[in-house]
Amino acid sequence: MTTTDSSATPQTPKGKRRIGDVVFANTASGSGILILAILAGVAAFLIIQSVDSLGANTANFFTTTGWDANTREAPAFGVAALAFGTVLAAAIALLIATPIAVGIALFIAYYAPRKLASVLGYIVDLLAAIPSVVYGLWGIGYLVHQLTPFYQWLSTSFGWIPLFAGPVSSTGRTMMSAGIVLAVMILPIITAISRDVFLQVPQAHREAALSLGATRWEMIRMAVLPFGRAGIIGGAMLGLGRALGETMAVAMILSPALVISPHLLQSGNQTIAAHIALQYPEATGYGVSALIAAGLVLFAITLVVNMGARYIVARRKEFTE
Amino acid sequence: MAKRIDVSGLHVYYGDFKAVEDVSMTIEPRAVTAFIGSSGCGKSTFLRALNRMHEVAPNARVEGKVMLDDQDIYAPDVDPVAVRREIGMVFQRPNPFPTMSIYDNVIAGAKLNNQRLGRTEADDIVERSLHGANLWEEVKDRLSKPGAGLSGGQQQRLCIARAIAVEPAVLLMDEPCSALDPISTLAIEDLIAKLKENYTICIVTHNMQQAARVSDQTAFFNLAGTGKPGRLIEMDETNKIFTKPDKKETENYITGRFG
Ligand SMILES: Nc1ncnc2c1ncn2[C@@H]1O[C@H](COP(=O)(O)OP(=O)(O)O)[C@@H](O)[C@H]1O
Ligand SMILES: [Mg+2]
């Protein structure tokens, strides 16, 4: 009896703790499974809903630029121009935002006096909180007008580069404007992540550089940037993910045309997200299903980009440990 | 190449906190000077004040004078970057740049001084510095491999190679062996004995046997009490410090540890 008791006593608290563990483990894995289920559900929905129109499509979905889907008779539509526009807008945004974000992050982490650094960090975080429709309003109501003279100059000076070829859109509602607004929108996430990795650079590495007679900038090049590079890439790709999916601002700013055009200063091009938002209300026939097919493509692009970002960030962690 | 350091009336602060008080000493060229004393008495702080690494800490400052031969390193027109090129430093934990190869680690500092360093010149510097750090034979076949892949002792010698590649006049070492095993420690001590032919060397150590083995001069630091600044109690020939120090405080510390 005594033996049974003494063996039962230590088991009671153990058993109690196990209940907590079990509840926690189940909640955790439950939410994990739920997320996966939602993801799979969304993918399944997109696939099932798009099969209808893709089956009826008389054109090649991946190479066609036109969008003749609002019919029950022989729809012909393709995602080529949209996918191109989506990637182009996001790429412009990324090219503009990344260097600026890295610069701001370096300034916050290594140059600004402490007070200014925290104020700046706060302002950058605030930028992330602005709703995208507000960015859209700002872009269409203010920025495009400010940018038009600059576009004129760019086209006169560098018009021989196809990207900047004229005639410049007089409204300024161009791919370049959309890209610039997207750049402002993804600036905060890239800045925040870069700043975090820059602040994580071990003091030992920074002091190693300084003790060799490095200036602050040389210290940054020697110890900070190599250490933070993977983090910058990860942040940039998260920003890219956001830029790819951004709808409202692009829909408001861009004057759309379903073409594949490299001329950033002329009107034209369109992104998947903005196209869906603009077309959905008047979609008839195979229209809705076709838009869902476009959504599926966007889903796939964003998924790949985000997985790439996670992979790079995870690899960096392994490397620094 | 090696230069003399003359410290007079040096006070070292972190903000309002005075960590080191009124130190004066002469550090001879082509000799090893050891700094000993209990933990927290300001040895590292003092050492870092000698090459202006101290001011990297926020609000850190010094009062007093540090002369490198006839140059006052705290004179208003002196660039701390230039001071650090002349007075190199080796840290407690080996800190090779993790993303760089062995070769790039060694050449990193030398490249700062000379942006247009040619390939053969760079090769020469790398080989000479690795020889100088007694590491060449061990790494000559894997110069392009990451420096972080070496053993702790090899990493520390890599850091020494990196420091001497800049051709400084003085080498400061802050407990360079405290993270190493006894064999690696011996290798570093041998290296220090060799390096002193060309450099002025200061070494902080918590290991008194090590101080006795490697140094010519020993400086003993102590705290007047908790929260008080560290002071230089006594500095003399290492032999004398360990056999018949002038101050009772020094003797207590030495015998306490050895006894
Ligand atoms: N970065 C710092 N900021 C503020 N105080 C510091 C800093 N580094 C060291 N100190 C303080 O200065 C004193 C001397 O420290 P340190 O020079 O590291 O001693 P030691 O190297 O002899 O062990 C200690 O009281 C320590 O707490
Ligand atoms: Mg110390």
Side-chain angles (χ1 to χ4, degrees), chain A:
Chain A
M1 279 308 280
T2 332
T3 335
T4 338
D5 276 350
S6 64
S7 72
T9 323
Q11 256 178 9
T12 322
K14 227 185 190 178
K16 263 183 195 161
R17 207 181 298 135
R18 235 186 243 148
I19 291 172
D21 283 350
V22 166
V23 170
F24 177 76
N26 284 344
T27 319
S29 48
S31 5
I33 291 169
L34 185 68
I35 289 170
L36 276 180
I38 292 175
L39 201 66
V42 170
F45 163 82
L46 289 174
I47 292 169
I48 292 167
Q49 295 287 311
S50 54
V51 162
D52 190 22
S53 63
L54 288 179
N57 196 359
T58 58
N60 184 326
F61 180 64
F62 292 105
T63 57
T64 306
T65 56
W67 195 265
D68 182 13
N70 292 326
T71 168
R72 275 275 149 199
E73 306 293 322
F77 58 92
V79 81
L82 295 173
F84 174 82
T86 303
V87 173
L88 182 61
I92 296 172
L94 202 62
L95 280 179
I96 296 174
T98 306
I100 297 175
V102 169
I104 297 175
L106 282 177
F107 181 73
I108 291 176
Y110 291 114
Y111 286 93
R114 277 171 180 223
K115 280 219 178 93
L116 180 61
S118 60
V119 171
L120 264 176
Y122 186 66
I123 290 175
V124 170
D125 289 342
L126 270 185
L127 276 183
I130 297 175
S132 63
V133 66
V134 174
Y135 277 112
L137 283 172
W138 170 69
I140 187 75
Y142 173 79
L143 192 68
V144 292
H145 306 300
Q146 304 303 311
L147 285 173
T148 314
F150 168 67
Y151 290 165
Q152 290 290 0
W153 170 82
L154 206 58
S155 169
T156 355
S157 315
F158 299 98
W160 48 272
I161 305 173
L163 288 178
F164 305 130
V168 171
S169 154
S170 59
T171 60
R173 299 177 60 181
T174 63
M175 209 58 192
M176 192 66 158
S177 301
I180 289 172
V181 172
L182 285 178
V184 179
M185 295 176 70
I186 65 175
L187 198 61
I189 177 112
I190 306 180
T191 306
I193 290 185
S194 306
R195 178 191 57 195
D196 287 352
V197 290
F198 292 162
L199 288 175
Q200 278 169 22
V201 176
Q203 192 178 357
H205 300 335
R206 287 185 274 130
E207 291 197 339
L210 291 176
S211 74
L212 292 171
T215 62
R216 199 180 321 205
W217 169 238
E218 287 165 340
M219 181 269 283
I220 285 170
R221 276 207 337 228
M222 222 185 228
V224 175
L225 289 180
F227 183 91
R229 187 169 58 200
I232 297 169
I233 295 173
M237 291 187 79
L238 288 179
L240 182 63
R242 174 157 189 208
L244 287 169
E246 176 51 37
T247 309
M248 217 42 226
V250 178
M252 290 168 78
I253 290 165
L254 200 58
S255 157
L258 293 183
V259 294
I260 295 182
S261 158
H263 308 308
L264 306 182
L265 305 183
Q266 305 175 14
S267 56
N269 286 318
Q270 176 62 308
T271 70
I272 295 176
H275 181 72
I276 294 174
L278 293 175
Q279 293 283 316
Y280 194 86
E282 42 212 64
T284 56
Y286 283 111
V288 171
S289 170
L291 289 175
I292 290 172
L296 185 62
V297 172
L298 179 59
F299 182 71
I301 296 177
T302 337
L303 206 63
V304 167
V305 166
N306 271 300
M307 271 161 40
R310 310 269 153 197
Y311 174 73
I312 289 171
V313 173
R315 218 181 39 174
R316 181 190 76 89
K317 283 214 183 93
E318 229 166 74
F319 174 75
T320 52
E321 266 159 20

Side-chain angles (χ1 to χ4, degrees), chain B residues 148-170:
Chain B
L150 299 173
S151 77
Q154 290 172 325
Q155 286 188 22
Q156 195 61 300
R157 278 179 283 146
L158 176 61
C159 292
I160 293 174
R162 179 176 69 185
I164 60 180
V166 187
E167 301 190 7
V170 181

